Amino acid sequence: MSLSDKLTSLMARPGGDNAQRDDVPWWMRYAGRGVGTFGGFLAIILGLINCLSIVLLNISCLIAGIWQMLAGFVVIVCEAPCCCFFVDYVQTLSDKVETRPYWNKAVLYIALAIPPFCLCFLSMSTWFGSGLIFATGIIYGMMALGKKASIDDMRTSAANLEAGVGQPTTATRANLVTNEQPISYTGAPRH
């Protein structure tokens, strides 16, 4: 058993499907899970520090801190449900999120990370806490894009496009340009 197989079996979700779903590299899956878990914990801690801005009567940073702590908890629930075993519904929620495509996770994490930036932009705790959640969303977005084609496939595709092979026969854009009418100004109607 290789080292990567041992790590895969250790990081596997209990009761989950241990087969790989697609051709995403193993290091990218671990990067998403690791940055998400670390970023979730850091977002909770730094969100608490953000909440201490109530002493300075900065309400927007207080709201950003609360949002950041909730976002960190959601990310931990999705990425490392073993850390939240004390909540009953965590495993079922985590399983539902795990069955969704990667772009859904990317949109969720990016949407969770943006509001604290809008509320408390100048706080470094917002930049580090929500920034790691945003980075997790970016990693899952890259996973959703999939594997890049080989250099031979890209060369063949480029050569076919240059030769005119494989282009659609009815291009919507070309049809719109050939039917274009000149714009004229007739002026206001006379009474």
mmCIF file of all heavy atoms in Angstrom, residues 161 164-172 174:
data_model
loop_
_atom_site.group_PDB
_atom_site.id
_atom_site.type_symbol
_atom_site.label_atom_id
_atom_site.label_comp_id
_atom_site.label_asym_id
_atom_site.label_seq_id
_atom_site.Cartn_x
_atom_site.Cartn_y
_atom_site.Cartn_z
ATOM 1 N N LEU A 161 -9.533 24.164 -36.114
ATOM 2 C CA LEU A 161 -10.208 25.458 -36.181
ATOM 3 C C LEU A 161 -9.595 26.347 -37.258
ATOM 4 O O LEU A 161 -10.300 27.095 -37.929
ATOM 5 C CB LEU A 161 -10.159 26.157 -34.825
ATOM 6 C CG LEU A 161 -11.070 25.567 -33.755
ATOM 7 C CD1 LEU A 161 -10.860 26.286 -32.426
ATOM 8 C CD2 LEU A 161 -12.514 25.665 -34.173
ATOM 9 N N GLY A 164 -10.837 25.237 -40.596
ATOM 10 C CA GLY A 164 -12.282 25.380 -40.782
ATOM 11 C C GLY A 164 -13.042 24.101 -40.507
ATOM 12 O O GLY A 164 -14.239 24.018 -40.740
ATOM 13 N N VAL A 165 -12.365 23.074 -40.045
ATOM 14 C CA VAL A 165 -13.013 21.802 -39.729
ATOM 15 C C VAL A 165 -13.554 21.881 -38.314
ATOM 16 O O VAL A 165 -12.879 22.334 -37.406
ATOM 17 C CB VAL A 165 -12.001 20.630 -39.834
ATOM 18 C CG1 VAL A 165 -12.663 19.311 -39.475
ATOM 19 C CG2 VAL A 165 -11.399 20.595 -41.220
ATOM 20 N N GLY A 166 -14.765 21.450 -38.125
ATOM 21 C CA GLY A 166 -15.343 21.405 -36.794
ATOM 22 C C GLY A 166 -16.033 22.678 -36.370
ATOM 23 O O GLY A 166 -16.519 22.779 -35.271
ATOM 24 N N GLN A 167 -16.083 23.680 -37.248
ATOM 25 C CA GLN A 167 -16.795 24.893 -36.891
ATOM 26 C C GLN A 167 -18.277 24.703 -37.170
ATOM 27 O O GLN A 167 -18.659 24.026 -38.122
ATOM 28 C CB GLN A 167 -16.278 26.077 -37.695
ATOM 29 C CG GLN A 167 -14.887 26.487 -37.306
ATOM 30 C CD GLN A 167 -14.426 27.694 -38.107
ATOM 31 O OE1 GLN A 167 -15.017 28.034 -39.118
ATOM 32 N NE2 GLN A 167 -13.369 28.324 -37.631
ATOM 33 N N PRO A 168 -19.125 25.283 -36.364
ATOM 34 C CA PRO A 168 -20.564 25.151 -36.606
ATOM 35 C C PRO A 168 -20.955 25.846 -37.903
ATOM 36 O O PRO A 168 -20.388 26.860 -38.289
ATOM 37 C CB PRO A 168 -21.205 25.823 -35.396
ATOM 38 C CG PRO A 168 -20.139 26.650 -34.787
ATOM 39 C CD PRO A 168 -18.828 26.050 -35.176
ATOM 40 N N THR A 169 -21.931 25.274 -38.582
ATOM 41 C CA THR A 169 -22.352 25.827 -39.875
ATOM 42 C C THR A 169 -23.208 27.071 -39.704
ATOM 43 O O THR A 169 -23.166 27.965 -40.524
ATOM 44 C CB THR A 169 -23.139 24.775 -40.673
ATOM 45 O OG1 THR A 169 -24.242 24.342 -39.869
ATOM 46 C CG2 THR A 169 -22.246 23.597 -41.024
ATOM 47 N N THR A 170 -23.994 27.118 -38.648
ATOM 48 C CA THR A 170 -24.814 28.308 -38.415
ATOM 49 C C THR A 170 -24.325 28.982 -37.148
ATOM 50 O O THR A 170 -24.694 28.602 -36.045
ATOM 51 C CB THR A 170 -26.300 27.929 -38.260
ATOM 52 O OG1 THR A 170 -26.400 26.998 -37.196
ATOM 53 C CG2 THR A 170 -26.860 27.343 -39.536
ATOM 54 N N ALA A 171 -23.499 29.952 -37.320
ATOM 55 C CA ALA A 171 -23.006 30.704 -36.171
ATOM 56 C C ALA A 171 -23.956 31.863 -35.918
ATOM 57 O O ALA A 171 -24.230 32.658 -36.810
ATOM 58 C CB ALA A 171 -21.597 31.213 -36.429
ATOM 59 N N THR A 172 -24.489 31.945 -34.717
ATOM 60 C CA THR A 172 -25.455 32.980 -34.385
ATOM 61 C C THR A 172 -24.856 34.366 -34.558
ATOM 62 O O THR A 172 -25.491 35.255 -35.102
ATOM 63 C CB THR A 172 -25.924 32.805 -32.923
ATOM 64 O OG1 THR A 172 -26.373 31.473 -32.755
ATOM 65 C CG2 THR A 172 -27.018 33.781 -32.592
ATOM 66 N N ALA A 174 -22.428 35.315 -36.558
ATOM 67 C CA ALA A 174 -22.241 35.652 -37.972
ATOM 68 C C ALA A 174 -23.580 36.004 -38.614
ATOM 69 O O ALA A 174 -23.664 36.895 -39.460
ATOM 70 C CB ALA A 174 -21.596 34.491 -38.706
#
